[in-house]
PDB file of all heavy atoms in Angstrom:
ATOM      1  N   GLN A 179     -12.059  31.209   6.790  1.00 98.00           N
ATOM      2  CA  GLN A 179     -13.502  31.492   6.715  1.00 98.00           C
ATOM      3  C   GLN A 179     -14.116  30.883   5.459  1.00 98.00           C
ATOM      4  O   GLN A 179     -15.220  30.356   5.475  1.00 98.00           O
ATOM      5  CB  GLN A 179     -13.711  33.013   6.749  1.00 98.00           C
ATOM      6  CG  GLN A 179     -15.139  33.442   7.013  1.00 98.00           C
ATOM      7  CD  GLN A 179     -15.770  32.751   8.238  1.00 98.00           C
ATOM      8  OE1 GLN A 179     -15.070  32.374   9.184  1.00 98.00           O
ATOM      9  NE2 GLN A 179     -17.073  32.552   8.184  1.00 98.00           N
ATOM     10  N   GLU A 180     -13.339  30.909   4.352  1.00 98.00           N
ATOM     11  CA  GLU A 180     -13.881  30.371   3.086  1.00 98.00           C
ATOM     12  C   GLU A 180     -14.229  28.888   3.218  1.00 98.00           C
ATOM     13  O   GLU A 180     -15.189  28.418   2.625  1.00 98.00           O
ATOM     14  CB  GLU A 180     -12.824  30.493   1.979  1.00 98.00           C
ATOM     15  CG  GLU A 180     -12.659  31.862   1.380  1.00 98.00           C
ATOM     16  CD  GLU A 180     -11.612  31.796   0.265  1.00 98.00           C
ATOM     17  OE1 GLU A 180     -10.452  31.468   0.584  1.00 98.00           O
ATOM     18  OE2 GLU A 180     -11.968  32.018  -0.894  1.00 98.00           O
ATOM     19  N   ILE A 181     -13.416  28.157   4.009  1.00 98.00           N
ATOM     20  CA  ILE A 181     -13.700  26.722   4.174  1.00 98.00           C
ATOM     21  C   ILE A 181     -14.989  26.562   4.964  1.00 98.00           C
ATOM     22  O   ILE A 181     -15.885  25.810   4.581  1.00 98.00           O
ATOM     23  CB  ILE A 181     -12.516  26.024   4.872  1.00 98.00           C
ATOM     24  CG1 ILE A 181     -11.335  25.913   3.916  1.00 98.00           C
ATOM     25  CG2 ILE A 181     -12.920  24.668   5.440  1.00 98.00           C
ATOM     26  CD1 ILE A 181     -11.560  24.992   2.728  1.00 98.00           C
ATOM     27  N   ARG A 182     -15.122  27.307   6.051  1.00 98.00           N
ATOM     28  CA  ARG A 182     -16.352  27.210   6.862  1.00 98.00           C
ATOM     29  C   ARG A 182     -17.562  27.526   5.994  1.00 98.00           C
ATOM     30  O   ARG A 182     -18.560  26.815   6.008  1.00 98.00           O
ATOM     31  CB  ARG A 182     -16.279  28.162   8.062  1.00 98.00           C
ATOM     32  CG  ARG A 182     -15.270  27.701   9.098  1.00 98.00           C
ATOM     33  CD  ARG A 182     -15.176  28.620  10.325  1.00 98.00           C
ATOM     34  NE  ARG A 182     -14.095  28.152  11.199  1.00 98.00           N
ATOM     35  CZ  ARG A 182     -14.299  27.576  12.394  1.00 98.00           C
ATOM     36  NH1 ARG A 182     -15.520  27.441  12.860  1.00 98.00           N
ATOM     37  NH2 ARG A 182     -13.290  27.132  13.116  1.00 98.00           N
ATOM     38  N   GLU A 183     -17.452  28.602   5.222  1.00 98.00           N
ATOM     39  CA  GLU A 183     -18.603  29.032   4.412  1.00 98.00           C
ATOM     40  C   GLU A 183     -18.920  28.000   3.324  1.00 98.00           C
ATOM     41  O   GLU A 183     -20.073  27.698   3.065  1.00 98.00           O
ATOM     42  CB  GLU A 183     -18.328  30.406   3.790  1.00 98.00           C
ATOM     43  CG  GLU A 183     -18.428  31.537   4.809  1.00 98.00           C
ATOM     44  CD  GLU A 183     -17.786  32.834   4.323  1.00 98.00           C
ATOM     45  OE1 GLU A 183     -17.336  32.864   3.159  1.00 98.00           O
ATOM     46  OE2 GLU A 183     -17.724  33.787   5.126  1.00 98.00           O
ATOM     47  N   ASP A 184     -17.884  27.422   2.717  1.00 98.00           N
ATOM     48  CA  ASP A 184     -18.132  26.492   1.612  1.00 98.00           C
ATOM     49  C   ASP A 184     -18.854  25.236   2.104  1.00 98.00           C
ATOM     50  O   ASP A 184     -19.756  24.715   1.438  1.00 98.00           O
ATOM     51  CB  ASP A 184     -16.804  26.108   0.945  1.00 98.00           C
ATOM     52  CG  ASP A 184     -17.036  25.367  -0.370  1.00 98.00           C
ATOM     53  OD1 ASP A 184     -17.686  25.936  -1.265  1.00 98.00           O
ATOM     54  OD2 ASP A 184     -16.628  24.196  -0.450  1.00 98.00           O
ATOM     55  N   PHE A 185     -18.499  24.760   3.303  1.00 98.00           N
ATOM     56  CA  PHE A 185     -19.213  23.575   3.806  1.00 98.00           C
ATOM     57  C   PHE A 185     -20.656  23.921   4.193  1.00 98.00           C
ATOM     58  O   PHE A 185     -21.572  23.125   3.990  1.00 98.00           O
ATOM     59  CB  PHE A 185     -18.441  22.954   4.979  1.00 98.00           C
ATOM     60  CG  PHE A 185     -17.339  22.043   4.514  1.00 98.00           C
ATOM     61  CD1 PHE A 185     -16.016  22.458   4.531  1.00 98.00           C
ATOM     62  CD2 PHE A 185     -17.633  20.779   3.999  1.00 98.00           C
ATOM     63  CE1 PHE A 185     -14.994  21.631   4.054  1.00 98.00           C
ATOM     64  CE2 PHE A 185     -16.629  19.937   3.523  1.00 98.00           C
ATOM     65  CZ  PHE A 185     -15.310  20.368   3.546  1.00 98.00           C
ATOM     66  N   GLU A 186     -20.877  25.155   4.664  1.00 98.00           N
ATOM     67  CA  GLU A 186     -22.264  25.543   4.979  1.00 98.00           C
ATOM     68  C   GLU A 186     -23.079  25.657   3.690  1.00 98.00           C
ATOM     69  O   GLU A 186     -24.242  25.282   3.636  1.00 98.00           O
ATOM     70  CB  GLU A 186     -22.268  26.847   5.787  1.00 98.00           C
ATOM     71  CG  GLU A 186     -21.640  26.640   7.160  1.00 98.00           C
ATOM     72  CD  GLU A 186     -21.778  27.839   8.087  1.00 98.00           C
ATOM     73  OE1 GLU A 186     -22.402  28.838   7.686  1.00 98.00           O
ATOM     74  OE2 GLU A 186     -21.267  27.763   9.229  1.00 98.00           O
ATOM     75  N   THR A 187     -22.437  26.129   2.621  1.00 98.00           N
ATOM     76  CA  THR A 187     -23.119  26.181   1.315  1.00 98.00           C
ATOM     77  C   THR A 187     -23.504  24.771   0.863  1.00 98.00           C
ATOM     78  O   THR A 187     -24.600  24.540   0.357  1.00 98.00           O
ATOM     79  CB  THR A 187     -22.185  26.831   0.267  1.00 98.00           C
ATOM     80  OG1 THR A 187     -21.837  28.139   0.714  1.00 98.00           O
ATOM     81  CG2 THR A 187     -22.841  26.901  -1.100  1.00 98.00           C
ATOM     82  N   THR A 188     -22.621  23.813   1.102  1.00 98.00           N
ATOM     83  CA  THR A 188     -22.921  22.421   0.732  1.00 98.00           C
ATOM     84  C   THR A 188     -24.101  21.880   1.540  1.00 98.00           C
ATOM     85  O   THR A 188     -24.998  21.248   0.982  1.00 98.00           O
ATOM     86  CB  THR A 188     -21.671  21.551   0.946  1.00 98.00           C
ATOM     87  OG1 THR A 188     -20.659  21.952   0.028  1.00 98.00           O
ATOM     88  CG2 THR A 188     -21.990  20.070   0.741  1.00 98.00           C
ATOM     89  N   LEU A 189     -24.121  22.154   2.830  1.00 98.00           N
ATOM     90  CA  LEU A 189     -25.254  21.696   3.644  1.00 98.00           C
ATOM     91  C   LEU A 189     -26.555  22.222   3.058  1.00 98.00           C
ATOM     92  O   LEU A 189     -27.504  21.475   2.811  1.00 98.00           O
ATOM     93  CB  LEU A 189     -25.110  22.172   5.094  1.00 98.00           C
ATOM     94  CG  LEU A 189     -23.950  21.604   5.919  1.00 98.00           C
ATOM     95  CD1 LEU A 189     -23.958  22.221   7.321  1.00 98.00           C
ATOM     96  CD2 LEU A 189     -24.055  20.080   6.044  1.00 98.00           C
ATOM     97  N   ARG A 190     -26.588  23.531   2.791  1.00 98.00           N
ATOM     98  CA  ARG A 190     -27.821  24.159   2.290  1.00 98.00           C
ATOM     99  C   ARG A 190     -28.182  23.621   0.898  1.00 98.00           C
ATOM    100  O   ARG A 190     -29.344  23.371   0.606  1.00 98.00           O
ATOM    101  CB  ARG A 190     -27.669  25.681   2.246  1.00 98.00           C
ATOM    102  CG  ARG A 190     -27.652  26.333   3.609  1.00 98.00           C
ATOM    103  CD  ARG A 190     -27.833  27.848   3.505  1.00 98.00           C
ATOM    104  NE  ARG A 190     -27.960  28.459   4.810  1.00 98.00           N
ATOM    105  CZ  ARG A 190     -26.926  28.868   5.544  1.00 98.00           C
ATOM    106  NH1 ARG A 190     -25.704  28.736   5.062  1.00 98.00           N
ATOM    107  NH2 ARG A 190     -27.103  29.405   6.738  1.00 98.00           N
ATOM    108  N   PHE A 191     -27.155  23.398   0.061  1.00 98.00           N
ATOM    109  CA  PHE A 191     -27.412  22.908  -1.313  1.00 98.00           C
ATOM    110  C   PHE A 191     -28.218  21.614  -1.263  1.00 98.00           C
ATOM    111  O   PHE A 191     -29.233  21.458  -1.947  1.00 98.00           O
ATOM    112  CB  PHE A 191     -26.073  22.652  -2.019  1.00 98.00           C
ATOM    113  CG  PHE A 191     -26.191  22.063  -3.403  1.00 98.00           C
ATOM    114  CD1 PHE A 191     -26.321  22.881  -4.523  1.00 98.00           C
ATOM    115  CD2 PHE A 191     -26.190  20.679  -3.592  1.00 98.00           C
ATOM    116  CE1 PHE A 191     -26.427  22.343  -5.801  1.00 98.00           C
ATOM    117  CE2 PHE A 191     -26.310  20.132  -4.861  1.00 98.00           C
ATOM    118  CZ  PHE A 191     -26.425  20.964  -5.971  1.00 98.00           C
ATOM    119  N   TRP A 192     -27.829  20.688  -0.396  1.00 98.00           N
ATOM    120  CA  TRP A 192     -28.517  19.396  -0.339  1.00 98.00           C
ATOM    121  C   TRP A 192     -29.776  19.461   0.524  1.00 98.00           C
ATOM    122  O   TRP A 192     -30.797  18.849   0.195  1.00 98.00           O
ATOM    123  CB  TRP A 192     -27.561  18.305   0.138  1.00 98.00           C
ATOM    124  CG  TRP A 192     -26.487  18.010  -0.876  1.00 98.00           C
ATOM    125  CD1 TRP A 192     -25.156  18.356  -0.811  1.00 98.00           C
ATOM    126  CD2 TRP A 192     -26.658  17.335  -2.132  1.00 98.00           C
ATOM    127  NE1 TRP A 192     -24.496  17.952  -1.937  1.00 98.00           N
ATOM    128  CE2 TRP A 192     -25.394  17.319  -2.772  1.00 98.00           C
ATOM    129  CE3 TRP A 192     -27.737  16.768  -2.792  1.00 98.00           C
ATOM    130  CZ2 TRP A 192     -25.191  16.732  -4.018  1.00 98.00           C
ATOM    131  CZ3 TRP A 192     -27.544  16.177  -4.032  1.00 98.00           C
ATOM    132  CH2 TRP A 192     -26.282  16.160  -4.639  1.00 98.00           C
ATOM    133  N   PHE A 193     -29.736  20.242   1.623  1.00 98.00           N
ATOM    134  CA  PHE A 193     -30.966  20.391   2.428  1.00 98.00           C
ATOM    135  C   PHE A 193     -32.062  21.000   1.564  1.00 98.00           C
ATOM    136  O   PHE A 193     -33.216  20.581   1.609  1.00 98.00           O
ATOM    137  CB  PHE A 193     -30.710  21.285   3.648  1.00 98.00           C
ATOM    138  CG  PHE A 193     -29.877  20.647   4.742  1.00 98.00           C
ATOM    139  CD1 PHE A 193     -29.251  21.445   5.699  1.00 98.00           C
ATOM    140  CD2 PHE A 193     -29.719  19.272   4.832  1.00 98.00           C
ATOM    141  CE1 PHE A 193     -28.485  20.881   6.721  1.00 98.00           C
ATOM    142  CE2 PHE A 193     -28.968  18.694   5.840  1.00 98.00           C
ATOM    143  CZ  PHE A 193     -28.345  19.509   6.775  1.00 98.00           C
ATOM    144  N   ASP A 194     -31.722  21.986   0.739  1.00 98.00           N
ATOM    145  CA  ASP A 194     -32.729  22.630  -0.134  1.00 98.00           C
ATOM    146  C   ASP A 194     -33.357  21.607  -1.080  1.00 98.00           C
ATOM    147  O   ASP A 194     -34.508  21.764  -1.488  1.00 98.00           O
ATOM    148  CB  ASP A 194     -32.097  23.741  -0.986  1.00 98.00           C
ATOM    149  CG  ASP A 194     -31.705  24.958  -0.148  1.00 98.00           C
ATOM    150  OD1 ASP A 194     -32.109  25.015   1.026  1.00 98.00           O
ATOM    151  OD2 ASP A 194     -30.968  25.816  -0.670  1.00 98.00           O
ATOM    152  N   ARG A 195     -32.590  20.552  -1.420  1.00 98.00           N
ATOM    153  CA  ARG A 195     -33.127  19.534  -2.338  1.00 98.00           C
ATOM    154  C   ARG A 195     -33.859  18.409  -1.616  1.00 98.00           C
ATOM    155  O   ARG A 195     -34.198  17.395  -2.223  1.00 98.00           O
ATOM    156  CB  ARG A 195     -31.968  18.985  -3.197  1.00 98.00           C
ATOM    157  CG  ARG A 195     -31.618  19.931  -4.328  1.00 98.00           C
ATOM    158  CD  ARG A 195     -30.213  19.773  -4.868  1.00 98.00           C
ATOM    159  NE  ARG A 195     -30.006  20.771  -5.926  1.00 98.00           N
ATOM    160  CZ  ARG A 195     -29.756  22.055  -5.673  1.00 98.00           C
ATOM    161  NH1 ARG A 195     -29.683  22.475  -4.399  1.00 98.00           N
ATOM    162  NH2 ARG A 195     -29.614  22.931  -6.655  1.00 98.00           N
ATOM    163  N   GLY A 196     -34.030  18.584  -0.305  1.00 97.00           N
ATOM    164  CA  GLY A 196     -34.853  17.611   0.422  1.00 97.00           C
ATOM    165  C   GLY A 196     -34.072  16.525   1.116  1.00 97.00           C
ATOM    166  O   GLY A 196     -34.650  15.593   1.675  1.00 97.00           O
ATOM    167  N   VAL A 197     -32.737  16.613   1.103  1.00 98.00           N
ATOM    168  CA  VAL A 197     -31.944  15.611   1.827  1.00 98.00           C
ATOM    169  C   VAL A 197     -32.219  15.766   3.327  1.00 98.00           C
ATOM    170  O   VAL A 197     -32.295  16.889   3.827  1.00 98.00           O
ATOM    171  CB  VAL A 197     -30.444  15.806   1.499  1.00 98.00           C
ATOM    172  CG1 VAL A 197     -29.560  15.063   2.475  1.00 98.00           C
ATOM    173  CG2 VAL A 197     -30.174  15.362   0.066  1.00 98.00           C
ATOM    174  N   ASP A 198     -32.400  14.641   4.008  1.00 98.00           N
ATOM    175  CA  ASP A 198     -32.864  14.689   5.398  1.00 98.00           C
ATOM    176  C   ASP A 198     -31.732  14.871   6.394  1.00 98.00           C
ATOM    177  O   ASP A 198     -31.984  15.121   7.578  1.00 98.00           O
ATOM    178  CB  ASP A 198     -33.629  13.400   5.721  1.00 98.00           C
ATOM    179  CG  ASP A 198     -34.853  13.263   4.825  1.00 98.00           C
ATOM    180  OD1 ASP A 198     -35.861  13.920   5.126  1.00 98.00           O
ATOM    181  OD2 ASP A 198     -34.761  12.562   3.804  1.00 98.00           O
ATOM    182  N   GLY A 199     -30.493  14.708   5.960  1.00 98.00           N
ATOM    183  CA  GLY A 199     -29.392  14.908   6.891  1.00 98.00           C
ATOM    184  C   GLY A 199     -28.086  14.384   6.345  1.00 98.00           C
ATOM    185  O   GLY A 199     -28.007  13.975   5.171  1.00 98.00           O
ATOM    186  N   PHE A 200     -27.049  14.391   7.217  1.00 99.00           N
ATOM    187  CA  PHE A 200     -25.712  13.950   6.796  1.00 99.00           C
ATOM    188  C   PHE A 200     -25.074  13.075   7.868  1.00 99.00           C
ATOM    189  O   PHE A 200     -25.247  13.328   9.067  1.00 99.00           O
ATOM    190  CB  PHE A 200     -24.792  15.171   6.605  1.00 99.00           C
ATOM    191  CG  PHE A 200     -24.989  15.920   5.325  1.00 99.00           C
ATOM    192  CD1 PHE A 200     -25.824  17.029   5.291  1.00 99.00           C
ATOM    193  CD2 PHE A 200     -24.359  15.505   4.155  1.00 99.00           C
ATOM    194  CE1 PHE A 200     -26.020  17.737   4.111  1.00 99.00           C
ATOM    195  CE2 PHE A 200     -24.550  16.212   2.972  1.00 99.00           C
ATOM    196  CZ  PHE A 200     -25.380  17.321   2.944  1.00 99.00           C
ATOM    197  N   ARG A 201     -24.307  12.139   7.402  1.00 98.00           N
ATOM    198  CA  ARG A 201     -23.322  11.435   8.237  1.00 98.00           C
ATOM    199  C   ARG A 201     -22.051  12.261   8.118  1.00 98.00           C
ATOM    200  O   ARG A 201     -21.648  12.625   7.017  1.00 98.00           O
ATOM    201  CB  ARG A 201     -23.143  10.008   7.734  1.00 98.00           C
ATOM    202  CG  ARG A 201     -22.081   9.195   8.451  1.00 98.00           C
ATOM    203  CD  ARG A 201     -20.820   9.154   7.647  1.00 98.00           C
ATOM    204  NE  ARG A 201     -19.869   8.169   8.112  1.00 98.00           N
ATOM    205  CZ  ARG A 201     -18.612   8.139   7.702  1.00 98.00           C
ATOM    206  NH1 ARG A 201     -18.184   9.043   6.832  1.00 98.00           N
ATOM    207  NH2 ARG A 201     -17.787   7.225   8.150  1.00 98.00           N
ATOM    208  N   VAL A 202     -21.413  12.614   9.237  1.00 98.00           N
ATOM    209  CA  VAL A 202     -20.264  13.521   9.247  1.00 98.00           C
ATOM    210  C   VAL A 202     -18.990  12.707   9.367  1.00 98.00           C
ATOM    211  O   VAL A 202     -18.758  12.045  10.394  1.00 98.00           O
ATOM    212  CB  VAL A 202     -20.354  14.526  10.404  1.00 98.00           C
ATOM    213  CG1 VAL A 202     -19.193  15.511  10.346  1.00 98.00           C
ATOM    214  CG2 VAL A 202     -21.685  15.272  10.373  1.00 98.00           C
ATOM    215  N   ASP A 203     -18.183  12.738   8.319  1.00 98.00           N
ATOM    216  CA  ASP A 203     -16.961  11.934   8.257  1.00 98.00           C
ATOM    217  C   ASP A 203     -15.899  12.493   9.210  1.00 98.00           C
ATOM    218  O   ASP A 203     -15.682  13.704   9.258  1.00 98.00           O
ATOM    219  CB  ASP A 203     -16.424  11.972   6.815  1.00 98.00           C
ATOM    220  CG  ASP A 203     -15.286  11.018   6.615  1.00 98.00           C
ATOM    221  OD1 ASP A 203     -15.493   9.826   6.876  1.00 98.00           O
ATOM    222  OD2 ASP A 203     -14.203  11.464   6.216  1.00 98.00           O
ATOM    223  N   VAL A 204     -15.263  11.589   9.970  1.00 98.00           N
ATOM    224  CA  VAL A 204     -14.145  11.935  10.863  1.00 98.00           C
ATOM    225  C   VAL A 204     -14.454  13.247  11.598  1.00 98.00           C
ATOM    226  O   VAL A 204     -13.691  14.208  11.544  1.00 98.00           O
ATOM    227  CB  VAL A 204     -12.812  12.079  10.101  1.00 98.00           C
ATOM    228  CG1 VAL A 204     -11.657  11.624  10.993  1.00 98.00           C
ATOM    229  CG2 VAL A 204     -12.784  11.294   8.826  1.00 98.00           C
ATOM    230  N   ALA A 205     -15.599  13.265  12.277  1.00 98.00           N
ATOM    231  CA  ALA A 205     -16.085  14.503  12.898  1.00 98.00           C
ATOM    232  C   ALA A 205     -15.129  14.990  13.985  1.00 98.00           C
ATOM    233  O   ALA A 205     -15.250  16.125  14.458  1.00 98.00           O
ATOM    234  CB  ALA A 205     -17.478  14.261  13.475  1.00 98.00           C
TER     235      ALA A 205
END
Side-chain angles (χ1 to χ4, degrees):
Q179 194 50 29
E180 282 182 298
I181 288 293
R182 290 181 185 251
E183 285 164 4
D184 191 59
F185 277 103
E186 294 188 2
T187 301
T188 294
L189 294 179
R190 289 194 174 88
F191 176 88
W192 292 107
F193 287 161
D194 289 349
R195 281 157 181 78
V197 165
D198 299 281
F200 282 95
R201 176 260 193 193
V202 183
D203 188 57
V204 213

